[in-house]
Amino acid sequence: MDNNFKDFPKSYWLDSTPDTNYPSLNEDIDVDIVIIGGGLAGINTAYLLQEENLKIAILEAEKICKGTTAYTTAKITSQHGLIYGKIQGKFGKEMANLYGKANENAIKMYDDIINENNINCDFISQSAFVFTQDGKYTKKIKDEVEIAQDLGIDAFYTDEIPFPIDIKAAIGFNNQAQFHPRKYLLALANIIQDKVQIYENTRAVDVEKNDEYIITTEHGKKVRAGKIIITSHYPFYNKKGMYFAKVFPKKSYIIGIEAEEKYPGGMYINVEKPTRSLRHQATPNGELILVVGGYPNVGKKEDTNKNYEALIEFAHNIFTVKGIPYRWSTQDYITLDEIPYIGYFAPDTPNMYIATGFQKWGMTNSMVSAMIIKDLILNGKSPWQEVYDPSRKNIISSAKNFIVENLNVAGSLLSGKLAPLPEDIDLKLREAKVIKKDKDRIGAYRDEQGVLHFVNTTCTHMGCELNWNSAERTWDCPCHGSRFNIDGEIIQGPAVEPLKAGNNVNTIKKLLGEDF
Ligand code: FES
């Protein structure tokens, strides 16, 4: 299939909502609580705490609701693949029960917040399905139905879904939901802004602990806070918690299609690989069907456009596709045992909290974070904290994942450094290459106008080598998912410093200036 995607990927959620314009922090401030990250987890947490007479500030590195929130599929569901069988099998029924109750409560909390505040965000109730086309998962699906029902979830078994997909079995959950994540979150930010200070373009780069926390921003301003909540997707703070060894990025790709057929309702995902998932969204121009796939590792050396092409092929097999007005990708963080880390950042940080590793289920898990962290701050405990505890002892019972993922990181660190590289810059328009100049590895990209852009491709987080992402035209890190634009500016952390240019970049520029 030849999809020489000339246009840039575009998220429907961003395309259909206005930009924001909150101020950046330009003075030192003192607050009771600072929240790092202005996405769903951060703003939901601020909302739940806003009535508590606490001084709260949100620091967002770029614009609020523009990170993962703007690129999600926005399914609000307690059905996270076949999670209940996995949790019950590894940690027992009580833990599966806590996980289910937390997520069902999160769905209800969205419903309550949206109704109480009259938020117009396309929130509708939907059933959610996990299906398989592979008979080896049929028993697992049947078991999951039993386990979910036993936990009080409104689950049912079926062997039919309303698409021309030959399935073997499926599990459905009733009373789940979907919405427009940016319409929801922009409205929520608007509601809280009288009580909560929201700062955009304010990247936190350092955290020190004295009597209180002192957060330094990239522009040198200081925020003093009694408590700090890190909801920045991947924690940029490395001094405790070892998150760099227990949270790993995975990528998903989404296309928004228009079809001849009317979408039959419901939200769908398969069990096997490659992952395929479906939902719909009403828009002023008619119905958009979101076709989702993933989840390869981030920063792999490959032509990432292939992921969109595979989804387009899948969509053509199911629908009569009239157009594909949208396509975008997102990055999710995966934990070792598939349960997010929500709660105290480390055992000895009673005033530092973390919410990360939402797997692919960030809508409910971000609300779960808000509910747990609010309870920990106000009451010192939460009914659901145990299953999500970031310091849970049994994480390493997932030792296989720990070893595999960390070997991947180590492998990326080494292979990136050792890979043979060309020394010439022979690039077509919209092409990139890593080249070698003396000891430097330099990423070169030629844009639409023919202009070359250079970066030093060593990640500023922990030194892994970046790879080119042709679909998004970014430099991506395979280790912990930092992403940089063609000029080395940060698109996504945990890196807090842009890519360094390096002396050889200037040498190459000079050489090219003579030659081009
Ligand atoms: Fe950790 Fe790049 S994101 S080394």
Side-chain angles (χ1 to χ4, degrees), residues 234 244 459-464 466 477-482 484 493-495:
Y234 195 105
F244 58 85
C459 181
T460 53
H461 178 230
M462 292 176 84
C464 287
L466 308 173
C477 182
C479 291
H480 313 106
S482 289
F484 303 85

Side-chain angles (χ1 to χ4, degrees), residues 479-493:
C479 291
H480 313 106
S482 289
R483 298 178 60 218
F484 303 85
N485 73 10
I486 51 173
D487 294 313
E489 290 159 7
I490 302 167
I491 295 174
Q492 183 161 352

Side-chain angles (χ1 to χ4, degrees), residues 104 126 135 217 265 268 278 293 324 382 436 463:
E104 290 274 305
Q126 292 281 281
T217 72
Y268 304 83
L278 296 161
I324 308 177
S382 151
K436 199 167 169 222

Side-chain angles (χ1 to χ4, degrees), residues 258-263 287 289 318-322:
E258 293 159 348
E260 294 283 351
E261 299 83 359
K262 180 151 177 46
Y263 188 84
E287 192 173 69
I289 299 172
I318 301 176
F319 303 102
T320 314
V321 179
K322 290 193 298 186

Side-chain angles (χ1 to χ4, degrees), residues 46-78:
Y47 176 84
L48 295 188
L49 286 167
Q50 61 164 345
E51 299 296 349
E52 301 299 330
N53 207 14
L54 293 161
K55 233 171 147 187
I56 302 173
I58 296 175
L59 309 186
E60 166 54 47
E62 293 180 22
K63 297 284 188 128
I64 61 163
C65 325
K66 217 171 173 179
T68 316
T69 305
Y71 296 90
T72 170
T73 34
K75 297 174 177 175
I76 305 174
T77 169
S78 60

Side-chain angles (χ1 to χ4, degrees), residues 135 220 467:
N467 284 315

Side-chain angles (χ1 to χ4, degrees), residues 235-254:
F236 71 99
Y237 179 71
N238 266 339
K239 290 178 194 152
K240 287 180 184 279
M242 296 266 295
Y243 288 94
F244 58 85
K246 53 186 198 184
V247 190
F248 301 93
K250 299 278 177 208
K251 198 98 187 157
S252 359
Y253 291 82
I254 300 168

Side-chain angles (χ1 to χ4, degrees), residues 62 105 109 222 226 232 242 268 289 317 354 438 465 514:
E62 293 180 22
N105 272 282
M109 183 65 88
K222 306 271 185 206
S232 56
M242 296 266 295
Y268 304 83
I289 299 172
N317 289 339
I354 177 77
D438 301 332
E465 288 301 326
E514 287 164 17

